[in-house]
Amino acid sequence: QKEVEQDPGPLSVPEGAIVSLNCTYSNSAFQYFMWYRQYSRKGPELLMYTYSSGNKEDGRFTAQVDKSSKYISLFIRDSQPSDSATYLCAFFGSSNTGKLIFGQGTTLQVKP
Amino acid sequence: EPEVTQTPSHQVTQMGQEVILRCVPISNHLYFYWYRQILGQKVEFLVSFYNNEISEKSEIFDDQFSVERPDGSNFTLKIRSTKLEDSAMYFCASSEALPGWGRAFFGQGTRLTVV
């Protein structure tokens, strides 16, 4: 079983749509859950991070964590063409050295 | 906003040559990392560095790789004898605290092409 599973997509939606991106994980030691956005040939940029089950909202973005199901989601409301990027889930907590474990990334295209 | 800077943005090297990838982390950060992303694949951890020593390294980070913080501001990744399979984007990252407590900022990456 893979430590992190993330559907690579691509996912194509019209502008204004609600987008749902998901990851599942198998390592119970993961304590912190993050979403990064990566534009083509650029470095990952942290969007959201949470450490507990439940929801965290920041503007148009909502991160959701369900530890019992080992499942995390990122919702994007009122999606914009500028949201077109690859979204990476990332996990921390199985070591105390700062190592992040990334999902494969989901490529999102928002069409005007 | 503070940023991690990496140079060069693109490096082409011949197989067997040594390369040094350079990074300037954010000035008050204490934890430093290198990650690698082969085209079309996920971002993979290579090494973490804290208090002037490696705190963890992955299986990828074999004897051909080394890291150094030579002068208190730069953080370098050296690959002694490059292989074709070392071709990838290499990202440097830094954080003030462990990522659970603080943001890990990533640089824009160095694209390494081994020919």
Side-chain angles (χ1 to χ4, degrees):
Chain A
Q1 184 182 12
K2 286 185 180 178
E3 199 167 26
V4 176
E5 301 220 37
Q6 182 177 13
D7 186 339
L11 181 61
S12 181
V13 301
E15 183 176 353
I18 297 175
V19 176
S20 171
L21 304 166
N22 312 294
C23 286
T24 58
Y25 64 97
S26 59
N27 191 335
S28 299
F30 289 156
Q31 301 173 45
Y32 297 92
F33 311 91
M34 299 162 212
W35 286 96
Y36 282 81
R37 177 174 62 195
Q38 185 178 28
Y39 292 112
S40 182
R41 297 191 180 274
K42 300 293 185 186
E45 173 196 8
L46 182 63
L47 283 177
M48 302 282 286
Y49 76 88
T50 58
Y51 59 88
S52 59
S53 285
N55 294 351
K56 180 177 180 180
E57 192 173 315
D58 184 0
R60 296 185 295 111
F61 298 91
T62 299
Q64 190 174 78
V65 173
D66 182 347
K67 284 188 175 180
S68 61
S69 301
K70 296 191 178 67
Y71 187 87
I72 69 170
S73 301
L74 178 71
F75 298 96
I76 307 174
R77 287 185 299 282
D78 187 25
S79 55
Q80 302 295 309
S82 57
D83 295 328
S84 298
T86 297
Y87 290 81
L88 314 173
C89 56
F91 301 83
F92 167 72
S94 60
S95 74
N96 62 354
T97 60
K99 172 184 175 181
L100 293 176
I101 304 294
F102 283 88
Q104 176 134 10
T106 299
T107 300
L108 171 68
Q109 184 181 30
V110 181
K111 294 184 175 179
Chain B
E1 186 167 86
E3 60 179 20
V4 175
T5 56
Q6 289 185 243
T7 54
S9 56
H10 187 198
Q11 171 111 35
V12 181
T13 189
Q14 289 203 324
M15 190 168 54
Q17 295 297 303
E18 174 182 286
V19 294
I20 298 176
L21 309 183
R22 302 181 191 279
C23 169
V24 179
I26 294 168
S27 60
N28 63 335
H29 283 189
L30 302 175
Y31 297 81
F32 312 107
Y33 317 92
W34 284 100
Y35 288 81
R36 175 180 90 171
Q37 187 175 32
I38 294 170
L39 188 63
Q41 298 187 24
K42 64 180 183 178
V43 176
E44 298 176 288
F45 171 81
L46 289 178
V47 66
S48 59
F49 191 85
Y50 170 70
N51 201 24
N52 282 319
E53 60 183 28
I54 290 174
S55 45
E56 185 174 357
K57 58 184 180 180
S58 72
E59 292 172 356
I60 303 166
F61 195 90
D62 61 21
D63 292 344
Q64 295 300 312
F65 291 85
S66 62
V67 290
E68 196 177 35
R69 189 156 159 79
D71 56 13
S73 60
N74 292 286
F75 181 50
T76 61
L77 174 69
K78 183 193 291 186
I79 309 174
R80 263 181 273 281
S81 178
T82 50
K83 306 182 184 68
L84 294 176
E85 54 265 36
D86 293 328
S87 295
M89 284 287 285
Y90 287 81
F91 295 108
C92 174
S94 70
S95 60
E96 187 176 6
L98 293 177
W101 297 101
R103 294 175 60 178
F105 288 80
F106 281 74
Q108 294 302 295
T110 293
R111 182 155 60 104
L112 177 65
T113 302
V114 182
V115 296

